[in-house]
Amino acid sequence: MLKRVFFLFLMATVSVSLLACGGKKDEDTLLEKEGTSKPATGTAAAPAAAPAAAPATGGATVTGKVNFDGTAPAMAAIKMDADAFCKSEHKEPVYEQEVVVNPNKTLQWVLVYVKEGVAGSYPAPAEAVVLDQHGCQYRPHIFGIQAGQPLKILNSDGTLHNIHALPKKNQEFNIGQPFKGMETVKKFESTELPVRFKCDVHKWMNSYAGVLTHPFFAVSGADGSFTIDGVPPGTYTVEVWHEKFGTKEMSVTVAEKATAEANFSYAAQ
């Protein structure tokens, strides 16, 4: 009698174990079908990812002018007769912007940027840089942008424009904007200088961008001056780029909350 009771108890235990194993297998199968993984048990938690490097900060400023030596070349007038809209937008002659010598013998449209010496991480701003097509001209003619920062291309004209970007490292694009108010957003993911833009409809339209990993850049204005703010203290190589005259560079040292001056000069060719 005792042997029979023990045998029945043993069989019941085996049945319960088999049912438990079958239940676990069914549960795992259901989780797999739902695309969910069960949390691991009996293992140490994975270490937290290292935080991203904080952007470097600084209160120094680099400022200066881009001077021009020699006789300013004559600027050619742009003929817009082929597009009635373009012609109607200008009562006065419009000139090419390749070489713009200001009245004080300085150059406009020169990109100035820190070429070497920048340390730290500078995430791309969420705010877009705007490249406008207004009066059948690109505005601005020269600009800087960070890699990964949005570039909003806007058509403010009541005529067709075709924006053709011609990078060598980044992805080329060629888009049409036939209507006023159209916008297209693009990004450049790699550093590159220069990136040329042209309009395949209006051959005189050109613009250039410098794509950088940091925000330390500027463009010389109508008095030839530029200012780069927020530079951390240190020694840097600052370079200027002009679409006709090329590049020049110099070493610049800035102290915390101080201003360093960097003046460049191009000569007539």
Side-chain angles (χ1 to χ4, degrees), residues 111 129 140 142-146 149 208-212 217-219:
L111 181 65
V129 171
I142 307 289
F143 64 95
I145 188 171
Q146 281 190 239
Q149 183 176 8
Y208 296 88
V211 185
L212 302 161
F217 53 81
V219 176

Side-chain angles (χ1 to χ4, degrees), residues 3-262:
K3 289 182 178 181
R4 179 177 178 81
V5 170
F6 179 75
F7 175 78
L8 292 174
F9 174 78
L10 181 61
M11 292 299 292
T13 302
V14 171
S15 298
V16 170
S17 298
L18 289 173
L19 286 171
C21 290
K24 181 178 185 302
K25 183 177 180 180
D26 291 343
E27 180 184 0
D28 288 344
T29 301
L30 179 60
L31 288 172
E32 288 175 4
K33 289 180 178 179
E34 293 176 347
T36 306
S37 298
K38 290 180 66 176
T41 57
T43 58
T57 57
T61 299
V62 177
T63 187
K65 285 188 176 181
V66 182
N67 298 298
F68 182 79
D69 297 328
T71 303
M75 293 192 298
I78 299 172
K79 295 182 179 180
M80 299 187 181
D81 301 44
D83 190 314
F85 174 85
C86 297
K87 186 177 180 180
S88 68
E89 286 292 287
H90 301 278
K91 295 181 180 179
E92 302 294 332
V94 179
Y95 296 94
E96 294 180 350
Q97 296 177 295
E98 182 182 44
V99 180
V100 178
V101 179
N102 301 314
N104 62 346
K105 298 289 287 185
T106 60
L107 277 174
Q108 189 176 4
W109 300 124
V110 180
L111 181 65
V112 188
Y113 54 95
V114 176
K115 180 182 179 181
E116 296 176 355
V118 175
S121 173
Y122 296 90
E127 182 179 0
V129 171
V130 177
L131 178 60
D132 194 7
Q133 296 156 107
H134 186 80
C136 298
Q137 289 182 294
Y138 283 120
R139 300 184 183 184
H141 179 59
I142 307 289
F143 64 95
I145 188 171
Q146 281 190 239
Q149 183 176 8
L151 172 64
K152 182 168 72 173
I153 303 167
L154 172 65
N155 184 3
S156 293
D157 290 334
T159 190
L160 166 67
H161 287 302
N162 181 262
I163 307 97
H164 193 172
L166 298 165
K168 291 181 171 59
K169 292 172 60 178
N170 289 278
Q171 184 174 356
E172 180 179 352
F173 60 83
N174 191 344
I175 56 175
Q177 291 185 336
F179 305 112
K180 182 177 181 178
M182 291 189 70
E183 297 179 1
T184 303
V185 177
K186 293 287 185 179
K187 290 182 180 180
F188 297 111
E189 300 298 341
S190 301
T191 58
E192 184 172 353
L193 193 158
V195 175
R196 181 189 172 209
F197 298 82
K198 69 172 184 173
C199 178
D200 290 332
V201 179
H202 308 106
K203 301 301 183 182
W204 63 83
M205 291 179 63
N206 287 283
S207 181
Y208 296 88
V211 185
L212 302 161
T213 59
H214 57 74
F216 305 127
F217 53 81
V219 176
S220 62
D223 62 352
S225 67
F226 64 88
T227 300
I228 303 175
D229 291 318
V231 182
T235 299
Y236 303 94
T237 299
V238 177
E239 185 168 80
V240 292
W241 176 86
H242 185 270
E243 64 184 285
K244 180 176 177 63
F245 301 131
T247 61
K248 290 180 178 289
E249 65 180 44
M250 70 171 61
S251 179
V252 178
T253 299
V254 290
E256 179 66 34
K257 296 183 180 179
T259 298
E261 191 169 345

